[in-house]
Amino acid sequence: MTDLDLRLVRYFTAVAEHRHFGRAAEALHITQPSLSRQIRRLEQQLGARLLERTPQGSRLTGAGEVFLPRAKALLRSAAQAASLARAAAEPSRITVGYTTGIIVTPAVRALRERFPDADVRTAHVDWTERTTVLPELRVDVLVTRLPFPTDGAQVTVLYEEPRALVLPVGHRLAGKESVTLDDISDEPLVRVADETWNAYWRIDPRPDGRPAPDGPLAEALEDKFELVASGQALAITALPRAGTLRPDVTAVPMHGVEPAHVVLATRAEERGRLVAAFRTAARTFLKAPGS
């Protein structure tokens, strides 16, 4: 019998989905050499080669094609087993994850009042980890903004937020009541490593088919605001709450742009009573700022 390391299985599925070791390593937040070593370990455990490198990236071998759907099913089954075990355990426990700029306190307070004996925890989640905390079982629910991958997750839209342009206080558009995409047609916008994020938050391509002008790459939220403050690029974000921006940048609402959506995500197979109760509380108590 082969005892498979689920972490290695997850690494394999990431490479298989990205078709590229470098992009998969970025998504997993590990180095490419480390990822390559882990894949070799899995192949040694299985006694079969799963992936082949190509000039364009990587591709599945015949064995890899057979293993991939079973690997995904294995990860789903493991997550479901852990979820069901937690739901049956006493005392009850739930960890609520949330990303920057989102307040979950009203729903968490309501859940604690309803289940005073439950262990209700909260955990801030860096935006770069939003796609991994649920499958890795680090949180039971996550309140975040779209875009968010729906594979293996149940996603509920909670509310909308207007999108805004973040720019230096001395910029020509600072102080305007609103701006449009035409106003920034030639302005570079900050990029990140996540292409899905770029497409949504940079509105790339634009409605007329033109690409959004590229700005420098940012690895963290603080980097993004530093790039904006120094005049190297602009950024589009959800309209910030008052007092949350640094003093050398400002935000101007965007006109003619679809609002952002704040969502609650859980593992699709999650059936715990606390998760169901938190979903109800979130729909009731989590609202857009100012509503």
Side-chain angles (χ1 to χ4, degrees):
M1 177 183 293
T2 301
D3 293 325
L4 292 180
D5 185 333
L6 291 180
R7 181 172 58 93
L8 303 185
V9 175
R10 182 170 62 82
Y11 286 172
F12 162 73
T13 61
V15 178
E17 290 168 357
H18 285 277
R19 291 293 197 268
H20 194 281
F21 273 81
R23 289 194 291 270
E26 287 183 1
L28 293 166
H29 308 295
I30 63 174
T31 65
Q32 186 171 332
S34 175
L35 178 59
S36 297
R37 288 194 298 271
Q38 304 308 324
I39 295 299
R40 285 197 297 272
R41 283 185 56 199
L42 177 63
E43 291 174 332
Q44 290 168 359
Q45 289 182 4
L46 293 173
R49 185 138 183 221
L50 302 175
L51 293 156
E52 292 180 345
R53 293 182 182 270
T54 71
Q56 292 75 34
S58 65
R59 67 186 177 192
L60 292 169
T61 64
E65 293 281 3
V66 171
F67 185 61
L68 180 59
R70 292 160 178 81
K72 291 181 176 179
L74 182 62
L75 293 173
R76 287 194 299 269
S77 179
Q80 182 179 26
S83 174
L84 294 175
R86 277 197 310 274
E90 294 295 342
S92 298
R93 189 176 84 178
I94 183 174
T95 300
V96 177
Y98 62 96
T99 49
T100 299
I102 292 175
I103 294 176
V104 295
T105 310
V108 170
R109 183 188 299 118
L111 190 66
R112 286 173 175 155
E113 290 174 351
R114 181 177 173 188
F115 299 96
D117 295 329
D119 182 4
V120 181
R121 304 181 181 185
T122 57
H124 177 262
V125 175
D126 187 88
W127 75 271
T128 59
E129 298 181 312
R130 72 195 189 285
T131 62
T132 59
V133 289
L134 281 170
E136 291 180 356
L137 311 181
R138 286 187 280 157
V139 302
D140 300 294
V141 301
L142 176 64
V143 184
T144 187
R145 294 184 178 88
L146 292 178
F148 185 85
T150 57
D151 291 346
Q154 179 179 343
V155 178
T156 303
V157 176
L158 297 177
Y159 58 85
E160 296 180 345
E161 292 178 317
R163 282 198 261 185
L165 181 69
V166 180
L167 61 170
V169 291
H171 193 276
R172 61 183 175 84
L173 298 174
K176 295 193 65 168
E177 289 188 5
S178 65
V179 295
T180 67
L181 287 175
D182 288 339
D183 292 327
I184 59 169
S185 58
D186 298 319
E187 295 276 3
L189 295 178
V190 176
R191 295 176 296 118
V192 299
D194 187 327
E195 292 303 322
T196 302
W197 188 100
N198 285 333
Y200 183 83
W201 286 103
R202 286 162 39 86
I203 313 177
D204 187 16
R206 298 293 162 75
D208 61 6
R210 290 186 299 166
D214 278 346
L217 194 68
E219 295 185 1
L221 182 65
E222 292 77 9
D223 296 329
K224 178 173 72 173
F225 289 134
E226 175 61 29
L227 291 169
V228 171
S230 62
Q232 297 183 64
L234 307 183
I236 297 174
T237 186
L239 188 63
R241 298 172 186 266
T244 59
L245 288 176
R246 43 189 281 176
D248 49 2
V249 300
T250 187
V252 178
M254 297 199 71
H255 177 71
V257 173
E258 287 294 318
H261 293 88
V262 171
V263 301
L264 182 150
T266 65
R267 289 177 287 276
E269 70 282 355
E270 186 68 67
R271 297 293 183 270
R273 61 172 184 154
L274 290 180
V275 169
F278 183 81
R279 184 180 294 110
T280 299
R283 286 171 170 163
T284 303
F285 296 105
L286 302 188
K287 306 292 184 183
S291 63

